[in-house]
Amino acid sequence: MSDVKSLKLHELTMLPLNPIKALVRRWWWKRAESHYLICADVEQERVREAQQNAAYFQKKAALARSQWLGMH
């Protein structure tokens, strides 16, 4: 029984690390890609909100300008 365990352990230690490194690298890049796609979505939402805010304040400025012109 102990020979079987030591044989399996020996087989495991003799495995090349390249497939494991490639697996970890793929996982890491996939995780990074997902993270940056989420960041891009968040930034796009911020841009949309900023555009809506700008349009809102431009409308308010136009209304104030028209009321001021109407008074003079």
Side-chain angles (χ1 to χ4, degrees), residues 29-57:
W29 286 115
K30 194 84 162 149
R31 183 175 164 265
E33 178 188 28
S34 175
H35 169 76
Y36 288 118
L37 287 173
I38 290 169
C39 289
D41 287 343
V42 168
E43 287 303 314
Q44 285 178 344
E45 183 59 32
R46 286 182 183 166
V47 167
R48 276 192 292 273
E49 288 175 7
Q51 288 171 341
Q52 289 174 349
N53 287 342
Y56 171 78
F57 286 112

Side-chain angles (χ1 to χ4, degrees), residues 6-17:
S6 64
L7 179 62
K8 286 183 180 180
L9 181 60
H10 178 71
E11 287 174 3
L12 285 175
T13 57
M14 296 305 291
L15 285 175
L17 292 179

